[in-house]
Each structure stands twice: as C-alpha cells, then as structure tokens.
Amino acid sequence: MALVFWEQAVADLSARDPVMDRIIQSCGDSMPEERGEAFTTLARAIVGQQISVKAAASVWQKVMASIPEMTPERLIATEMDLLRACGLSARKVDYLRDLSRHFLEGTLATANWHDLDDETLIRRLIEVKGIGRWTAEMFLIFYLHRPDVLPLDDIGLQRAVSMYYNGSQPVDKRTIRAVAENWQPWRSVATWYLWRSLDPVPVIY
C-alpha cells in the first residue's frame, strides 16, 4: 500500500523530532496494511479492545477460521458459543452482533464518511454499542487513513511516550498532547511508529 501522505509525514517527523527520527530508522519501511471493508475494520477493532496486539491477533485469527467470510450476515448468524470459543467475551460478542445489526439495517451510513471531519465521524461511530472513542480512532487511522489522529486512551501510545519522552515516568493525556503538538499534522503516523517500536507484531485493524 502506498499512502499518499506517508513519505512526506516520515520526512517531516524525522526532521522535527530526533527521538521520532531514531524510532523511524529502527522500524525501516513500515506502514499500516490497507483494509478494504469498513465492517471488518470495526469488528477487528472491537475484538482488540483492552487486550494486547498479540492477543488480539490470536483471537481474530480464530474468529476468521470460524467465519471465513466476515460479513454482518455471517457474524450475526454465528452461535455465541462458537464465538466465545474463539476467546471473545460475552460482552464483545454482544458488541459485534450490534455492529452487524447497524450494518444490516443501514443505520450506520458509510457513503459520506470521507467528507466528514474526524470529530464528526467519531461522534457518529460512538453511537454504536461497544464503539468508544478508541475504537472510532482506530477506524479513522486504519480504514479512512486520517493522518492526524491522536488516540490518547491507547495503552501502547501511553507506554511509548512515557518511555521515550518522559524518562519512563507515567504520563497523563495533557503530557501526551503536549509532546504530540510537534507531530501535527501527522500524529497518526507518529503513533504508528511508536506502536512498532514496542511490538514486532504490526498493529492491524
């Protein structure tokens, strides 16, 4: 995949931020994989809520083995016990089924998403049961390829900012936001490289 802004973002971040430059150099050629389906991206983000990247990848692999054709129709028709056996909590199964209903009933309009600004999109997405701000932000980064999303609630981002910018001391949202001012308008790209610096398994939603 060639995101049109990625090369410029990498150049800008490397020039502005010596810490980010070292991280980017250590990660080599790395960028998110393109995702073709909005439903799949949201479903995978729900699966990945509050668990590690490695654990999320393992659970998703089992879900896909059980439902090779990931569609709202197939997911909502799958027995709860089968989904639970993949490692999903009952709550996440409920969230995935509610997401499926929104797509099947057409209440989650997708046609004009690319025309809406980030905050408007987030407000619409969090109306769906089980989609909070973090999940909506993952969708903006991985499906809509928005370049300047800063997921302040993301544990990986918090760990990385603590490690590289705050002497491994705990950080709050205000600190992260202040550090990230220097990354604008490429905060999604900076976040991606911080994730990659912590985990050899690429983050995928």
Side-chain angles (χ1 to χ4, degrees):
M1 177 187 70
L3 293 180
V4 293
F5 60 81
W6 201 268
E7 186 175 344
Q8 181 184 352
V10 167
D12 286 353
L13 289 168
S14 296
R16 293 181 203 168
D17 186 333
V19 174
M20 188 60 61
D21 182 47
R22 290 195 298 273
I23 293 170
I24 289 171
Q25 294 299 324
S26 70
C27 291
D29 295 330
S30 179
M31 66 176 68
E33 294 183 17
E34 187 166 14
R35 292 286 152 194
E37 296 293 333
F39 175 75
T40 302
T41 301
L42 286 169
R44 187 160 187 164
I46 288 173
V47 169
Q49 290 172 357
Q50 298 179 323
I51 59 177
S52 71
V53 172
K54 185 176 181 180
S58 175
V59 173
W60 183 253
Q61 189 174 38
K62 292 173 184 176
V63 171
M64 290 302 294
S66 300
I67 315 173
E69 184 184 358
M70 178 55 67
T71 64
E73 293 86 354
R74 293 292 300 275
L75 194 150
I76 204 168
T78 302
E79 293 291 334
M80 175 176 276
D81 288 346
L82 182 57
L83 292 171
R84 291 294 308 277
C86 296
L88 290 168
S89 66
R91 179 175 294 178
K92 285 188 179 179
V93 172
D94 187 34
Y95 292 165
L96 289 169
R97 287 182 166 174
D98 190 63
L99 177 69
S100 299
R101 281 191 288 272
H102 275 275
F103 272 84
L104 290 171
E105 295 169 5
T107 54
L108 195 59
T110 63
N112 67 336
W113 279 352
H114 289 280
D115 299 325
L116 301 177
D117 64 72
D118 291 355
E119 288 303 319
T120 300
L121 276 165
I122 289 170
R123 285 196 299 271
R124 291 196 180 183
L125 287 165
I126 63 176
E127 292 175 0
V128 179
K129 185 178 181 181
I131 295 182
R133 186 177 181 89
W134 178 87
T135 304
E137 288 168 338
M138 294 305 103
F139 184 75
L140 265 62
I141 293 172
F142 287 93
Y143 180 74
L144 294 174
H145 302 147
R146 297 294 173 93
D148 197 35
V149 178
L150 183 68
L152 290 168
D153 294 318
D154 185 80
I155 295 173
L157 175 63
Q158 294 168 5
R159 282 180 54 207
V161 172
S162 168
M163 182 185 304
Y164 298 117
Y165 295 91
N166 203 46
S168 295
Q169 296 301 306
V171 293
D172 56 20
K173 291 181 181 181
R174 183 173 61 179
T175 302
I176 297 172
R177 196 178 284 112
V179 169
E181 283 183 8
N182 195 35
W183 303 337
Q184 291 178 296
W186 314 117
R187 292 179 298 181
S188 300
V189 180
T191 298
W192 166 260
Y193 280 107
L194 289 171
W195 284 333
R196 293 291 285 115
S197 75
L198 296 177
D199 198 323
V201 179
V203 179
I204 301 172
Y205 291 111

